[in-house]
Amino acid sequence: MIDNGFPLTTEPNILRQMIASPNIVSKMLSVATGNSSNVSNTLPDATASCVPWRITDLKHTNNEVYVDLVEEMDAIINSDGALVKCEINGEVQVNSHLSGLPDLTLSFANPSILNDVRFHPCVRFRPWESHQILSFVPPDGQFKLMSYRSNVIHLQGQKVEEYSDICKATANLRFWDMPYQCFADLTSNHGAVNILANKTCSWSIGRIPKDKAPSMSGTLALETDLERLNVFPTFQVGFRIMGVALSALQIDKLDLRNLPNRPYKGFRALTQAGEFEVRS
Amino acid sequence: MFPQFGATADTLSKASTMVFRIGTDAHLYDDPEDVNISLLLDSKFDSEKCEALKRLLALIAQGFDVSNFFPQVVKNVASQSLEVKKLVYLYLLHYAEKRPNEALLSINSFQKDLGDPNPLVRALALRAMAGIRLHVISPIVLVAVGKCARDPSVYVRKCAANALPKLYDLHLEENTTTIEEIVGILLNDNSPGVVGAAAAAFASVCPNNLSLIERNYRRLCETLPDVEDWGQIVLIGVLLRYVIARHGLAKESIMLSSCATVSYRSENDGSENDGSDTNFELKENGKDKGCDVYESELPEIVSRSYLEGPENYLSRSSHADKGSFGLDFSCFTSAKSNYDVKILLQCTSPLLWSHNSAVVLAAAGFHWIMAPKEDVKRIVKPLLFVLRSSNASKYVVLCNIQVFAKVMPYVFSPYYEDFFICSSDSYQIKALKLEILSSIATDSSILVIFQEFQDYVRDPDRRFAADTVAAIGLCVRRLPKVSDMCLGWLLALTRQESLNSDIGSVGGEDGVLVQALISIKAIINLDPPCHEKVIVQLVRSLELIKVPAARAMIFWMVGEYNSIGGIIPLMLPTVLKYLAWCFTSEALEAKLQILNTAVKVLLCSKGEDMWTFRRILSYVLELAICDLSYDVRDRARVLKKLLSPLIVSHDLEVEAKGLPENKDLKIVVADLFFRGQSKPCPEPINYRFYLPGSLSHIVLHAAPGYEPLPYPCSLSIDELGHDFNDVQGIEALREGPTGSDSYGVDGSDTVSGSLDGENTSDYSSEYSITGSGGSGGEESGSVSESDDNADPLINFSDVSNACANQNGGSQDNNAPSRIDDFEELMSKKSLDSWLDEHPSQSSSELTHIQRSSARISLGHIGGRVKLKSHKLLDPVIGNGLSVDYTFSSEISSVSPLLVCVEVSFTNCSTEPMSKLLLVDEESSKGIDSAEAALATSESPLTSDKDVPILVPLEDINSLDASQTIRRILQVRFHHHLLPLKLVLWCNGKKHPVKLRPDIGFFVKPLPMDIEMFTSKESQLPGMFEYTRSCTFTDHIGELKNEQCDSSLIKDKFLVICESLALKMLSNANLFLVSVDMPVAANLDDASGLRLRFSSEILSNSIPCLITATVEGKCSEPLTLSVKVNCEETVFGLNLLNRIVNFLAEPILTTL
């Protein structure tokens, strides 16, 4: 909500209480009653509270909190095949459905690998400064607790195999800005290769096989009147690996205080490609 | 392929759209006008009103003008439903400026809402009210904001803070102090949310009133982490300004360390010392020094740009010496020992972890300026992390990093990998990254960066590839160690087939090649003797290179370095022959360079080659003189004339050899032109540095609202206490001259003549009603007939005037008509005292009793009415011409829209003036001479539409020294509050002046009796009635005078009545209907005293009734409550404000 060009209310929690977001039930109600108001008549309490991101009196029947590590790998592989730059950008996403005003503490087993961090406003700075612990009162629902950057990549080839049972990968290859390329013939030793109209090749590997390393090879043909390329395209690669955090960041424990009953805690990890490009 | 399927998909998507629209208001946009909106608006169900309003808003969104529903919509403002209210407010805000009169109808409802128990309603009312941009209601809004600033709800206080900039935007100069006070209150708030909004208000209302920050500084720092993101950004800026103004720059910071680059240099020097070639190293150190000067200057330039604004600094430094910093060292503080600085650094450092990129940037900017330079590196990682966001914010962050990296390359140099370019980056981002990379490259990282650059050159974007080649040149200039490697690679690049092929010119390959040669040129320039072979190789590849600009550059290099090394002189004859051979087929720029080169070679040549060169040059000159391009022809002619002795005379060579000091002057000149350029001149610093994170920094010019940092230590502790007094002092000063000016005019002889005449007419016009009771129609008739007379009022009241002039006669006239059932209450004594005091003026005191009050009429008062004079043109500005104006009580004879203003021109200078003319701004554009203006003025204008802004007064042809001429000006003001811009011509010069309207003279007296008054008053209740209170003090001075002068004893009540009526009539064109006096009152209690005035608005003859009621004790300041009844709401409110203002003003003049 903007007032005179200056943000008046930007906190999603308060906005959601002021103006109810439309959903099926409210739509049905409005059709039935003819009253389509989704504007609240009262000021949300959160405007005056010291935790504006949280509704003060929340009640959930089953308390649960999920922590997801979502990592993106940025890498540049140059024309010689050397890894020029590689870093991991990760996010800790929390989905919390907790009653009351819980106080959560999240600690990592290896916080030293974090190169850089940025926090959701709910995270208290002091505990992080002193002990590298995330202490916070969570907003309700899905939110991004923190994002981090790490240069350390522990995962090597053999480790992939270790995870290969659970890991599913798809790779997308984009021939970026290539006016020359008109025809491609690509084959792989595992999974299916699809060449799409928008100069994208999709290679779904599926479950990574244990006996061989999946690879794709082929030739790209140039337009007829061109013999050589003097400019070289860049391939953008996209992939998704479930269940692995490439930075090897490990969550040590999640403590919950100020809760009436024991909640369910869940943890997941996911790695995908960020700006992963291969120069030719 | 499958048309049927396509159709199905289409239907499906349509169907899904329909499903999504169920339960929303989307259908209202389809055809908002398909129902009768006005019927719905008048409905008694809130849901129907809602729908109507939504339809109206939908129409507004579609660009229709639906302002004709305004009255109906505004009526709904009083609705209890919050949703209706919200919609009405939206509508109101959209049209309020267009229909101010109707918008005012909603004010009462706003006032009521402000007292609502629901904070949401209060906040909404305040936001809407502040959003109505009308001057009229600004005082009300100001009061409301002041009240809301102390509201128990955080949300309402926050809205109050947000309302302040809206109020400030209306330019209410007189209320600035009040607004600033409210800002102070809000800054002192306990809630972080309010503090953030208050900081934003502070930044837009009074960014320089830093004493407000002083009071709360520590607390503001501590709440900073809890404030909302957007507030944090503003607050950091405000606190930074305060710290600089209060304590100055930190002496450990990068801003004050011209030795910032030394540590970096020393690192470099250390590595350079390993070099084996001492000669090389010596030279390099020399270069380094040049570089050092440049780089060590940079922090100073940056900090001074921050403090003064780059425009100021650059313009000054271009012609003044750069050395005078102007800051003495007492202005500096220490970031380590100063608690204020330390606490702010502490509180901003966690903000570097904020999830909001703008906050990170703001915090980084603060650390950049204030943190000790060994701590500045902590901003690096957060800034680099912010780079991983949207393209737009990436660009902004990179722009800031670019400056940081220029000043402190060593803090960024380990992180060069972060600036490697992705193919998905936009071109602008790529260019910035290249620039940063080339400025942070070090000896250790250059190899990797160079490798990277080689990849970039193969990028499909050729513009980017060219930039990369340029960046390589920049890198080598900073790190001469890699020059050999880079040169080799660049040479290989120039020989690449693709760059020289025909296709290349299409894809921008030219640019890459030219850029490669520029880079090569720059690298060779660093150390020409070492790179002799490069030049040779370039010359060899001339056959291959076809781009004219590139060829021209190679030719230039041949000429420039013709005497360097051992190989070049040997090959020169061959090369020159080749040049001469291909001269005709070259492009313009290459031809010019061939000419230059031939001359340069000849000038440096010795021995037997000279003859060959001379032959070649004369051959080339012959060709050039016949060239198609005049540029080439001209150059050839100049050269020929200049070098004629060299070319023509064959024995000159001997001469020149034998006596070098006798060399022909022409050759010396040629020498100057073509040699001595080889010294590399240091690059001028033309960067503009704006504060980090500011918009100006991105656009590289001062954006509106950009202010450089305050001058260090400009805010001292002593100042803080007096800040408010200073403001008032200035205001007093501002008022001073105008006040005294009006005094001067009042006292001058000019007033006595004409004003007296007016006063009599005033008086008599009042009188004529009580006396003769003449009807309004008759009077106006007489007015229109008496056009020839300057003062129409005198005309229509001639009869009574004649009577009035006889002292006391009027009393007789009046007595029979009015006195019937009234008793005389006033004591005989006081009546006598009246008569004694003003024997020349007629006076009558008729006291009437009605219920418990007595009624008197103060007829004599007219004689003492003193009209206030305003300054139109100050003699200082107007070259000695002083122009004052007084609103006169005359009524314009031309049109009711016109207001009469008496303007008096006084020549304060010693020389006579001529051709004085006052015209309005628009007409002055079209009018060249005064004659034309006069011609237009002669045509009679009668209809309302054609009423001119100004009925021009006749031309004043000359005005002698210290002569005063007065004229009656008839003006049509566009608005009763906004000044009218006029142009005053004098001696052929143009002076823009502003005529400020006085709403008190937009009315004319409406004579009526008390019965009529009360009946009219009863017809204008409720909405048309406005009341305000003020304090009245004029009478106190008068009463004191009375006491001193014991011989005259006047009734206190009378004194009060008199001074009050006098003040009213002096400031507004009113008719005094009656004066009511309390009968059973205590002697000293003036409560119940009531004065009634009536008037009608000039333009539309709507009556305007004014009642002033007194409360309080006679000898003390009285509380006056003034009530205005008028159908025209805006006008009435404005008139009320004006009356209250002048009544509260202390008396300026005593008779």
Side-chain angles (χ1 to χ4, degrees):
Chain A
M1 239 188 248
I2 306 284
D3 186 12
N4 196 30
F6 192 78
L8 174 66
T9 311
T10 49
E11 181 55 49
N13 172 46
I14 296 173
L15 289 176
R16 226 174 283 133
Q17 287 179 64
M18 277 182 162
I19 302 152
S21 52
N23 55 30
I24 290 291
V25 180
S26 74
K27 276 184 183 178
M28 288 308 161
L29 260 176
S30 75
V31 172
T33 59
N35 179 16
S36 63
S37 171
N38 50 4
V39 180
S40 160
N41 276 334
T42 50
L43 188 72
D45 300 334
T47 49
S49 94
C50 54
V51 280
W53 51 85
R54 190 172 175 87
I55 304 169
T56 38
D57 47 346
L58 258 178
K59 285 216 165 51
H60 287 285
T61 44
N62 43 348
N63 285 312
E64 48 194 15
V65 54
Y66 299 97
V67 181
D68 295 354
L69 286 183
V70 179
E71 298 195 336
E72 288 190 355
M73 183 177 179
D74 287 3
I76 298 173
I77 296 167
N78 73 1
S79 46
D80 305 336
L83 193 66
V84 176
K85 172 190 168 186
C86 182
E87 64 172 20
I88 300 289
N89 280 287
E91 283 174 8
V92 180
Q93 291 182 349
V94 178
N95 196 351
S96 92
H97 298 281
L98 300 168
S99 313
L101 206 67
D103 201 329
L104 275 66
T105 316
L106 184 70
S107 57
F108 298 105
N110 45 356
S112 58
I113 64 160
L114 299 178
N115 210 352
D116 237 327
V117 284
R118 292 170 82 182
F119 298 122
H120 188 274
C122 70
V123 176
R124 300 186 184 102
F125 292 130
R126 287 269 156 74
W128 177 261
E129 271 175 333
S130 49
H131 303 102
Q132 315 258 290
I133 289 171
L134 293 171
S135 161
F136 58 98
V137 175
D140 199 44
Q142 178 89 29
F143 70 101
K144 187 170 86 182
L145 181 66
M146 89 182 233
S147 46
Y148 58 88
R149 207 160 73 121
S150 168
N151 287 336
V152 194
I153 294 173
H154 291 290
L155 205 71
Q156 295 302 325
Q158 69 274 24
K159 217 166 178 186
V160 175
E161 280 165 28
E162 195 177 301
Y163 278 104
S164 58
D165 299 339
I166 46 165
C167 180
K168 275 182 188 166
T170 50
N172 286 306
L173 217 56
R174 178 132 193 241
F175 315 123
W176 187 263
D177 262 357
M178 266 183 69
Y180 308 101
Q181 181 267 325
C182 65
F183 173 70
D185 178 23
L186 297 165
T187 49
S188 72
N189 60 357
H190 188 89
V193 179
N194 282 313
I195 296 166
L196 307 174
N198 55 352
K199 287 187 181 169
T200 304
C201 157
S202 160
W203 175 29
S204 12
I205 301 164
R207 193 161 289 196
I208 293 174
K210 283 187 176 165
D211 50 338
K212 59 185 173 183
S215 74
M216 179 172 73
S217 58
T219 49
L220 294 175
L222 297 172
E223 276 168 19
T224 43
D225 54 339
L226 261 167
E227 287 123 31
R228 293 181 51 181
L229 278 178
N230 65 323
V231 295
F232 295 88
T234 303
F235 300 101
Q236 293 201 316
V237 182
F239 61 82
R240 236 173 120 80
I241 309 169
M242 304 292 290
V244 183
L246 276 182
S247 67
L249 182 71
Q250 281 178 338
I251 291 173
D252 188 26
K253 60 180 177 195
L254 177 65
D255 285 337
L256 296 97
R257 264 176 294 151
N258 212 356
L259 266 179
N261 41 7
R262 252 182 91 83
Y264 175 77
K265 296 187 271 190
F267 163 76
R268 265 192 318 189
L270 166 72
T271 299
Q272 55 197 29
E275 284 168 341
F276 195 109
E277 52 183 56
V278 182
R279 296 189 185 133
S280 59
Chain B
M1 239 190 314
F2 300 108
Q4 318 89 314
F5 180 74
T8 325
D10 199 32
T11 336
L12 269 177
S13 76
K14 265 186 192 161
S16 69
T17 325
M18 289 307 289
V19 171
F20 280 122
R21 285 170 57 129
I22 291 175
T24 67
D25 294 324
H27 64 280
L28 295 176
Y29 281 82
D30 292 341
D31 187 9
E33 276 184 303
D34 66 345
V35 292
N36 189 342
I37 292 178
S38 62
L39 214 66
L40 283 178
L41 273 177
D42 291 337
S43 154
K44 56 179 187 261
F45 301 109
D46 280 341
S47 59
E48 289 188 354
K49 284 180 184 170
C50 261
E51 196 189 334
L53 286 164
K54 280 175 183 171
R55 281 175 190 277
L56 284 178
L57 292 176
L59 281 168
I60 291 175
Q62 289 168 7
F64 293 97
D65 181 8
V66 288
S67 58
N68 52 325
F69 290 100
F70 204 98
Q72 274 176 296
V73 173
V74 169
K75 205 177 58 191
N76 285 319
V77 84
S79 161
Q80 284 305 307
S81 156
L82 191 68
E83 204 175 355
V84 174
K85 251 188 224 299
K86 262 189 184 164
L87 293 166
V88 171
Y89 288 167
L90 279 177
Y91 180 93
L92 198 66
L93 287 181
H94 196 262
Y95 284 117
E97 265 182 287
K98 210 168 166 190
R99 322 245 325 210
N101 295 2
E102 282 98 332
L104 286 178
L105 298 179
S106 59
I107 297 299
N108 280 345
S109 158
F110 282 128
Q111 297 271 41
K112 210 177 91 225
D113 279 359
L114 284 173
D116 198 280
N118 186 350
L120 205 56
V121 175
R122 292 201 295 272
L124 200 58
L126 182 71
R127 278 170 60 195
M129 202 155 97
I132 299 178
R133 294 175 49 85
L134 292 177
H135 276 93
V136 193
I137 62 156
S138 57
I140 307 172
V141 180
L142 194 63
V143 173
V145 172
K147 212 170 81 184
C148 288
R150 298 174 182 85
D151 198 278
S153 162
V154 175
Y155 187 71
V156 177
R157 294 205 297 271
K158 201 165 144 188
C159 288
N162 278 329
L164 286 172
K166 298 184 205 171
L167 267 181
Y168 182 75
D169 279 350
L170 289 173
H171 298 292
L172 307 161
E173 275 85 7
E174 67 270 27
N175 292 329
T176 315
T177 23
T178 326
I179 294 179
E180 287 181 15
E181 269 168 37
I182 299 174
V183 172
I185 293 168
L186 290 166
L187 276 175
N188 204 9
D189 204 282
N190 284 322
S191 162
V194 181
V195 172
F202 176 86
S204 60
V205 172
C206 47
N208 294 318
N209 188 359
L210 291 167
S211 58
L212 286 178
I213 303 294
E214 167 81 19
R215 290 178 221 153
N216 307 309
Y217 177 75
R218 296 272 154 88
R219 219 177 36 75
L220 286 177
C221 287
E222 277 151 18
T223 47
L224 183 59
D226 298 326
V227 173
E228 274 179 324
D229 303 351
W230 314 107
Q232 280 174 348
I233 299 162
V234 184
L235 194 53
I236 289 173
V238 168
L239 292 175
L240 169 65
R241 296 176 61 83
Y242 166 75
V243 166
I244 301 253
R246 179 76 180 75
H247 302 292
L249 295 166
K251 63 173 177 282
E252 301 93 343
S253 74
I254 182 79
M255 294 295 113
L256 292 177
S257 61
S258 41
C259 45
T261 45
V262 167
S263 58
Y264 168 59
R265 273 291 147 202
S266 62
E267 261 180 13
N268 259 11
D269 284 344
S271 58
E272 275 159 13
N273 283 336
D274 304 336
S276 52
D277 189 352
T278 45
N279 191 23
F280 179 78
E281 198 184 304
L282 262 176
K283 278 192 178 148
E284 210 175 54
N285 281 349
K287 285 270 158 11
D288 271 2
K289 258 175 206 158
C291 225
D292 246 351
V293 171
Y294 168 72
E295 282 189 15
S296 62
E297 255 179 22
L298 209 55
E300 197 195 312
I301 294 167
V302 170
S303 65
R304 290 173 67 180
S305 296
Y306 286 168
L307 289 173
E308 298 172 30
E311 280 84 6
N312 265 346
Y313 170 62
L314 287 177
S315 65
R316 211 182 40 134
S317 62
S318 58
H319 45 75
D321 57 329
K322 295 187 183 183
S324 61
F325 202 141
L327 297 175
D328 59 349
F329 270 78
S330 61
C331 288
F332 303 139
T333 181
S334 159
K336 285 171 186 160
S337 57
N338 187 309
Y339 183 71
D340 275 1
V341 180
K342 219 160 74 181
I343 193 175
L344 189 51
L345 281 171
Q346 263 170 21
C347 292
T348 47
S349 50
L351 297 184
L352 291 170
W353 295 331
S354 171
H355 72 313
N356 186 322
S357 310
V359 176
V360 176
L361 191 55
F366 177 76
H367 278 255
W368 170 248
I369 292 171
M370 288 310 281
K373 63 175 176 292
E374 57 270 23
D375 288 349
V376 168
K377 57 178 179 289
R378 76 161 65 163
I379 69 170
V380 174
K381 278 186 175 184
L383 278 177
L384 293 176
F385 197 10
V386 175
L387 273 184
R388 217 189 123 78
S389 46
S390 72
N391 257 341
S393 60
K394 213 189 241 183
Y395 178 75
V396 172
V397 177
L398 279 172
C399 281
N400 287 288
I401 290 180
Q402 187 196 13
V403 173
F404 298 162
K406 272 209 180 94
V407 181
M408 291 182 91
Y410 53 93
V411 296
F412 285 95
S413 49
Y415 303 100
Y416 59 91
E417 278 184 4
D418 287 288
F419 300 105
F420 282 176
I421 285 150
C422 298
S423 52
S424 55
D425 288 337
S426 70
Y427 170 73
Q428 286 79 6
I429 290 176
K430 285 177 182 169
L432 271 175
K433 279 185 170 175
L434 276 180
E435 204 173 321
I436 295 169
L437 271 178
S438 57
S439 60
I440 63 168
T442 59
D443 285 333
S444 51
S445 62
I446 184 68
L447 285 175
V448 186
I449 294 175
F450 186 59
Q451 191 76 35
E452 208 31 39
F453 281 171
Q454 289 177 11
D455 273 351
Y456 297 160
V457 172
R458 309 201 295 178
D459 195 274
D461 182 355
R462 299 320 284 167
R463 192 158 55 129
F464 166 55
D467 287 354
T468 309
V469 176
I472 292 173
L474 282 177
C475 281
V476 177
R477 255 193 276 175
R478 286 190 61 249
L479 309 161
K481 278 196 134 184
V482 291
S483 59
D484 288 337
M485 180 183 69
C486 291
L487 265 181
W489 184 79
L490 285 171
L491 271 178
L493 188 72
T494 55
R495 257 177 274 143
Q496 250 177 43
E497 214 180 302
S498 60
L499 288 182
N500 302 305
S501 65
D502 293 334
I503 311 158
S505 59
V506 185
E509 304 294 335
D510 292 8
V512 181
L513 183 63
V514 171
Q515 207 48 257
L517 278 165
I518 291 175
S519 292
I520 291 175
K521 200 172 94 178
I523 296 167
I524 291 176
N525 202 6
L526 289 178
D527 189 13
C530 293
H531 304 303
E532 187 199 357
K533 281 181 185 157
V534 177
I535 300 170
V536 177
Q537 285 189 30
L538 280 177
V539 172
R540 286 211 181 117
S541 58
L542 265 178
E543 284 285 329
L544 211 66
I545 294 169
K546 291 188 182 68
V547 182
R551 286 179 75 89
M553 234 169 314
I554 297 174
F555 297 155
W556 181 86
M557 275 187 262
V558 172
E560 191 66 34
Y561 304 116
N562 64 64
S563 55
I564 285 166
I567 312 168
I568 296 177
L570 292 179
M571 60 182 266
L572 267 179
T574 333
V575 174
L576 274 191
K577 276 176 200 159
Y578 170 75
L579 293 190
W581 172 72
C582 62
F583 182 82
T584 42
S585 57
E586 292 294 340
L588 172 65
E589 45 188 331
K591 277 177 181 167
L592 292 174
Q593 282 310 326
I594 290 178
L595 281 173
N596 288 355
T597 304
V599 174
K600 281 182 197 169
V601 170
L602 179 62
L603 283 174
C604 299
S605 62
K606 289 180 200 97
E608 63 270 31
D609 286 342
M610 199 170 185
W611 189 76
T612 328
F613 294 146
R614 203 178 283 164
R615 288 267 313 273
I616 293 172
L617 180 62
S618 52
Y619 171 68
V620 172
L621 283 176
E622 285 305 317
L623 285 178
I625 279 170
C626 307
D627 199 82
L628 281 174
S629 157
Y630 57 82
D631 242 6
V632 177
R633 288 200 303 271
D634 288 352
R635 174 86 56 101
R637 271 193 211 104
V638 170
L639 288 176
K640 204 168 183 182
K641 280 270 181 279
L642 210 64
L643 302 169
S644 51
L646 260 183
I647 301 165
V648 181
S649 84
H650 288 268
D651 44 59
L652 190 106
E653 183 200 345
V654 189
E655 239 176 73
K657 252 188 178 175
L659 306 157
E661 64 268 33
N662 286 353
K663 238 186 193 178
D664 195 356
L665 185 69
K666 284 178 179 174
I667 300 175
V668 177
V669 172
D671 236 21
L672 279 176
F673 273 130
F674 290 101
R675 298 172 71 180
Q677 286 179 353
S678 42
K679 272 184 219 156
C681 49
E683 239 177 88
I685 301 156
N686 52 358
Y687 299 111
R688 288 160 176 263
F689 297 106
Y690 292 90
L691 285 175
S694 63
L695 170 65
S696 310
H697 181 76
I698 306 302
V699 295
L700 287 181
H701 62 81
Y706 178 82
E707 264 191 73
L709 288 177
Y711 193 79
C713 298
S714 52
L715 186 76
S716 68
I717 311 162
D718 314 339
E719 243 177 74
L720 293 171
H722 306 297
D723 222 40
F724 265 98
N725 298 343
D726 280 355
V727 174
Q728 281 163 358
I730 291 161
E731 276 171 5
L733 273 176
R734 215 183 296 143
E735 278 167 11
T738 52
S740 63
D741 279 345
S742 60
Y743 260 92
V745 175
D746 280 356
S748 74
D749 55 336
T750 57
V751 179
S752 57
S754 72
L755 273 192
D756 275 357
E758 275 171 32
N759 294 344
T760 359
S761 74
D762 253 4
Y763 140 71
S764 52
S765 69
E766 282 161 22
Y767 231 78
S768 66
I769 317 308
T770 17
S772 61
S775 74
E778 265 179 33
E779 282 160 20
S780 57
S782 67
V783 170
S784 54
E785 282 161 17
S786 60
D787 271 357
D788 53 334
N789 198 307
D791 191 350
L793 269 174
I794 289 176
N795 275 344
F796 75 76
S797 54
D798 254 350
V799 184
S800 56
N801 209 6
C803 300
N805 284 342
Q806 303 158 6
N807 193 7
S810 59
Q811 195 178 355
D812 302 14
N813 265 1
N814 291 326
S817 60
R818 286 280 168 263
I819 211 156
D820 304 340
D821 49 358
F822 298 129
E823 262 176 48
E824 188 163 311
L825 191 92
M826 299 309 300
S827 63
K828 185 79 178 154
K829 207 172 166 188
S830 64
L831 185 68
D832 285 345
S833 75
W834 277 117
L835 296 170
D836 287 346
E837 200 186 1
H838 310 284
S840 64
Q841 288 175 353
S842 64
S843 73
S844 95
E845 276 141 27
L846 292 169
T847 47
H848 315 297
I849 294 179
Q850 200 172 40
R851 284 178 294 276
S852 66
S853 66
R855 188 158 293 159
I856 47 170
S857 97
L858 302 166
H860 66 282
I861 206 90
R864 290 176 57 189
V865 166
K866 199 111 193 110
L867 297 174
K868 199 179 170 189
S869 143
H870 311 266
K871 198 101 204 142
L872 190 61
L873 183 69
D874 199 87
V876 182
I877 306 162
N879 295 338
L881 177 68
S882 159
V883 184
D884 296 297
Y885 63 97
T886 309
F887 281 90
S888 86
S889 46
E890 289 170 42
I891 312 294
S892 164
S893 52
V894 181
S895 157
L897 293 177
L898 295 170
V899 178
C900 291
V901 183
E902 188 178 278
V903 187
S904 72
F905 300 85
T906 311
N907 188 349
C908 300
S909 70
T910 48
E911 286 159 28
M913 295 175 176
S914 63
K915 293 262 180 201
L916 290 165
L917 183 68
L918 196 60
V919 286
D920 70 296
E921 207 181 29
E922 273 92 59
S923 69
S924 76
K925 283 168 193 157
I927 293 168
D928 296 328
S929 63
E931 285 77 21
L934 278 177
T936 52
S937 73
E938 274 157 18
S939 62
L941 296 158
T942 41
S943 76
D944 261 13
K945 277 178 190 169
D946 296 336
V947 174
I949 290 167
L950 203 67
V951 174
L953 50 161
E954 71 253 49
D955 206 6
I956 302 172
N957 274 322
S958 71
L959 189 66
D960 292 332
S962 69
Q963 188 195 359
T964 300
I965 293 184
R966 40 187 62 255
R967 290 275 185 274
I968 298 289
L969 189 66
Q970 301 189 14
V971 191
R972 181 165 68 106
F973 287 99
H974 299 293
H975 189 266
H976 46 251
L977 287 180
L978 303 179
L980 187 69
K981 285 178 187 160
L982 299 176
V983 174
L984 181 70
W985 292 89
C986 171
N987 288 342
K989 262 197 208 155
K990 186 173 151 183
H991 304 284
V993 290
K994 274 185 183 171
L995 195 61
R996 293 184 189 282
D998 185 344
I999 195 170
F1001 293 91
F1002 281 64
V1003 291
K1004 62 181 178 200
L1006 177 65
M1008 60 169 70
D1009 57 25
I1010 182 70
E1011 283 81 19
M1012 208 165 129
F1013 189 94
T1014 41
S1015 75
K1016 274 238 160 89
E1017 193 179 12
S1018 63
Q1019 285 164 16
L1020 296 167
M1023 299 284 266
F1024 304 119
E1025 186 174 291
Y1026 335 99
T1027 316
R1028 271 187 73 182
S1029 300
C1030 64
T1031 328
F1032 184 71
T1033 51
D1034 284 12
H1035 61 285
I1036 296 176
E1038 208 134 325
L1039 281 173
K1040 275 186 188 149
N1041 284 348
E1042 301 297 332
Q1043 276 169 5
C1044 301
D1045 206 355
S1046 55
S1047 62
L1048 292 166
I1049 302 154
K1050 270 169 86 177
D1051 192 286
K1052 281 178 188 168
F1053 290 88
L1054 260 182
V1055 174
I1056 295 170
C1057 291
E1058 191 196 35
S1059 51
L1060 189 57
L1062 194 65
K1063 188 128 196 185
M1064 289 289 276
L1065 295 177
S1066 308
N1067 286 290
N1069 207 359
L1070 305 172
F1071 171 72
L1072 178 61
V1073 179
S1074 73
V1075 182
D1076 280 5
M1077 274 211 182
V1079 178
N1082 187 326
L1083 265 181
D1084 197 36
D1085 192 2
S1087 302
L1089 189 65
R1090 181 172 296 158
L1091 277 77
R1092 293 191 175 91
F1093 301 89
S1094 67
S1095 61
E1096 66 179 8
I1097 301 170
L1098 277 178
S1099 54
N1100 48 14
S1101 304
I1102 290 176
C1104 204
L1105 309 176
I1106 299 147
T1107 315
T1109 312
V1110 180
E1111 245 177 88
K1113 295 200 169 164
C1114 291
S1115 49
E1116 286 163 21
L1118 297 168
T1119 313
L1120 263 184
S1121 95
V1122 184
K1123 189 178 77 178
V1124 172
N1125 293 67
C1126 181
E1127 251 178 284
E1128 184 97 28
T1129 43
V1130 187
F1131 191 89
L1133 262 177
N1134 281 329
L1135 184 62
L1136 177 63
N1137 288 341
R1138 171 77 191 126
I1139 290 172
V1140 168
N1141 278 345
F1142 71 64
L1143 282 179
E1145 234 170 59
I1147 191 152
L1148 282 176
T1149 165
T1150 43
L1151 210 74

